[in-house]
């Protein structure tokens, strides 16, 4: 009979790599020994859903149930395991061709272990193609486990969601991000500053640590109330500076993407390929990430500016000043809400600054 030491799946140490999601970890640990056919990892971007899917995949393909140390676990965590397959959307929504590919993949047998794990990213955007995906979600082969990653459950996704075991993820609290960054070797003061601007996202926090312009951008957003002087010229200048600041981290990400493409092209050449297979899909993924980074930066800037007005509220003052600060916070909340509709960022910032300026 196998002992607990031989088969540590009851604890699945690899799931301990998931940051700040205690409830999700408990559910996944209890499920690792006898997984159901489909899971829904539901929660906001940056909450660690994709990393959790990799860790759960490792637990399912590891011969010891998720030891976290063997070759199978390391490959799954690194995204290199043949039986842990990540499927990302190609465009603004999930197309029927991708669903057919998911169906094809689901019918394959595991190549290295007991299970094959399909991780479907952003599949809440399946739209009218949901019925085509439903049968695969309902009845995959017994050796296939499907993990659907979604931000929300829109109306056309409800039936698919109901066929999955839901695993809820929450935005990370600052303390969890600080702890994770310290474990990465980041000094405490830097970790705390970055965590405040990360918006509950560990992925954002980890690249902000390497962003030398991070502190200057925080200062720029905090300076907005003191720089507004009632003139349109100042609004125009300040809006241009804020937009340019939002583009700074995008340039960092672009350089990383260029390095990735260069590395992949070298590997393809060494393998005898005339060109990089799947290059258009890789470039589309890069464009999505760049758009997300720009939006995250703008959202973080709005949060910093809102915190500045909230600090003014705590300072007290005349009722008229309290009213101004409350109205400013309301405008910032409205601006953050508009980001969901992918607005023109320059026009959004100008709209916001004009209205903040009118409060003075």
């Amino acid at each position: 009979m196998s002992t607990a030491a031989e088969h540590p799946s009851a604890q699945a140490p690899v799931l301990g790599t998931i940051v700040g999601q205690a409830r999700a970890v408990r559910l996944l640990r209890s499920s690792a020994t006898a997984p159901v056919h489909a899971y829904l990892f539901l929660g906001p971007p940056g909450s660690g859903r994709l990393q959790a899917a990799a860790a759960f995949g490792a637990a399912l393909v590891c011969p010891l149930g998720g030891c976290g140390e063997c070759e199978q676990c390391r490959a799954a965590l690194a995204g290199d395991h043949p039986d842990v397959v990540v499927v990302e959307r190609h465009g603004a929504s999930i197309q029927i061709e991708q669903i057919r590919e998911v169906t094809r993949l689901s019918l394959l047998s595991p190549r290295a272990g007991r299970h094959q794990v399909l991780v479907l990213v952003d599949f809440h955007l399946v739209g009218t193609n949901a019925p085509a995906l439903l049968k695969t979600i309902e009845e995959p082969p017994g050796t296939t486990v499907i993990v659907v990653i979604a931000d929300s459950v829109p109306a056309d996704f409800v039936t698919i969601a109901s066929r999955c075991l839901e695993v809820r993820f929450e935005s990370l609290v600052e303390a969890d991000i600080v702890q994770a960054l310290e474990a990465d070797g980041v000094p405490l003061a830097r970790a705390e500053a970055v965590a405040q601007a990360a918006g509950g996202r560990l992925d954002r926090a980890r690249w902000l640590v390497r962003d030398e312009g991070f502190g200057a951008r925080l200062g720029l957003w905090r300076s907005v109330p003191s720089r507004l002087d009632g003139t349109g010229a100042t609004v125009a200048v300040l809006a241009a500076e804020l937009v340019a600041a939002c583009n700074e981290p995008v340039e960092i990400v672009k350089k990383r993407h260029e390095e990735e493409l260069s590395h992949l092209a070298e590997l393809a050449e060494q393998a005898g390929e005339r060109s990089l297979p799947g290059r258009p899909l890789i470039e589309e993924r890069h464009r999505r990430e760049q758009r997300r980074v720009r939006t995250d930066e703008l959202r973080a800037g709005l949060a910093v500016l809102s915190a500045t007005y909230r600090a003014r509220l705590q300072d007290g003052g005349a009722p008229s000043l309290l009213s101004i600060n409350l109205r400013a916070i309301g405008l910032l909340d409205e601006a953050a809400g508009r980001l969901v509709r992918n607005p023109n960022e320059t026009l959004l910032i100008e709209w916001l600054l004009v209205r903040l300026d009118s409060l003075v």
Side-chain angles (χ1 to χ4, degrees):
M1 180 178 295
S2 299
T3 66
E6 293 170 335
H7 294 283
S9 56
Q11 293 301 317
V14 71
L15 295 175
T17 61
I18 301 173
V19 175
Q21 303 291 350
R23 286 186 299 176
V25 170
R26 285 197 297 270
L27 179 55
L28 294 176
R29 277 188 170 141
S30 66
S31 187
T33 53
V36 298
H37 65 285
Y39 295 81
L40 173 63
F41 283 19
L42 183 65
S47 54
R49 299 165 302 168
L50 188 56
Q51 293 81 3
F56 187 51
L60 296 183
V61 300
C62 172
L64 295 179
C67 67
E69 299 177 356
C70 68
E71 181 180 348
Q72 305 281 356
C73 283
R74 291 197 300 270
L77 293 175
D80 294 330
H81 197 287
D83 290 332
V84 182
V85 181
V86 177
V87 181
E88 297 196 59
R89 61 185 168 93
H90 297 167
S93 61
I94 305 301
Q95 302 300 309
I96 189 65
E97 292 78 12
Q98 277 192 284
I99 294 176
R100 289 169 180 157
E101 176 64 8
V102 169
T103 300
R104 185 190 70 81
L105 290 171
S106 71
L107 298 174
L108 299 178
S109 298
R111 286 182 277 180
R114 297 168 298 157
H115 296 288
Q116 173 190 225
V117 183
L118 300 184
V119 181
L120 312 185
V121 181
D122 289 343
F123 267 64
H124 60 287
L125 299 174
V126 67
T128 57
N129 290 320
L133 180 63
L134 181 59
K135 183 173 178 59
T136 300
I137 294 292
E138 286 181 323
E139 300 177 2
T143 55
T144 295
V145 175
I146 298 176
V147 176
V148 184
I149 294 180
D151 297 353
S152 60
V153 182
D156 46 24
F157 188 65
V158 169
T159 304
I160 290 175
S162 70
R163 303 300 194 270
C164 303
L165 176 62
E166 181 179 305
V167 183
R168 176 75 65 165
F169 288 76
E170 307 293 342
S171 293
L172 296 176
V173 298
E174 289 184 12
D176 288 331
I177 295 176
V178 169
Q179 184 177 8
L181 293 179
E182 283 194 289
D184 292 344
V186 179
L188 176 60
R190 178 70 169 174
E192 289 176 339
V194 165
Q196 290 175 1
R201 298 187 58 153
L202 181 57
D203 56 346
R204 174 175 164 78
R206 279 180 165 145
W207 67 257
L208 278 177
V209 165
R210 302 188 296 272
D211 182 357
E212 295 300 326
F214 161 69
R217 291 199 304 277
L218 286 183
L220 175 61
W221 282 98
R222 288 170 178 155
S223 73
V224 167
S226 62
R227 290 181 60 182
L228 291 172
D229 59 6
T231 67
T234 296
V235 165
V237 169
L238 189 50
E241 291 179 11
L242 293 172
V243 170
C246 288
N247 286 330
E248 288 179 10
V250 178
E251 294 304 314
I252 296 173
V253 173
K254 281 183 178 179
K255 290 180 180 178
R256 191 183 74 208
H257 288 162
E258 291 170 359
E259 293 171 357
E260 179 184 349
L261 279 173
S262 177
H263 175 65
L264 292 174
E266 289 179 6
L267 293 178
E269 184 178 357
Q270 293 170 8
E273 300 282 354
R274 299 180 63 180
S275 61
L276 174 59
R279 186 183 185 105
L281 297 182
I282 296 172
E283 291 177 339
E284 173 60 28
R285 173 170 59 81
H286 287 171
R287 286 191 290 271
R288 287 201 307 272
E289 184 174 354
Q290 290 164 22
R291 287 194 298 271
R292 185 177 69 246
V293 167
R294 185 179 289 106
T295 300
D296 287 347
E297 186 65 22
L298 180 52
R299 184 174 284 111
L302 294 173
V304 168
L305 185 50
S306 181
T308 302
Y309 281 105
R310 291 180 191 279
R312 291 185 168 198
L313 272 179
Q314 295 175 358
D315 292 339
S320 59
L321 292 177
L322 294 176
S323 176
I324 287 173
N325 290 323
L326 284 171
R327 288 156 63 194
I329 293 168
L331 285 169
L332 286 158
D333 289 343
E334 183 178 350
R338 292 188 178 198
L339 286 177
V340 177
R341 300 191 291 272
N342 296 317
N344 180 293
E345 293 159 358
T346 299
L347 292 179
L348 177 63
I349 292 177
E350 289 177 346
W351 170 87
L352 174 64
L353 295 181
V354 166
R355 280 156 181 76
L356 290 176
D357 204 23
S358 69
L359 298 178
V360 179

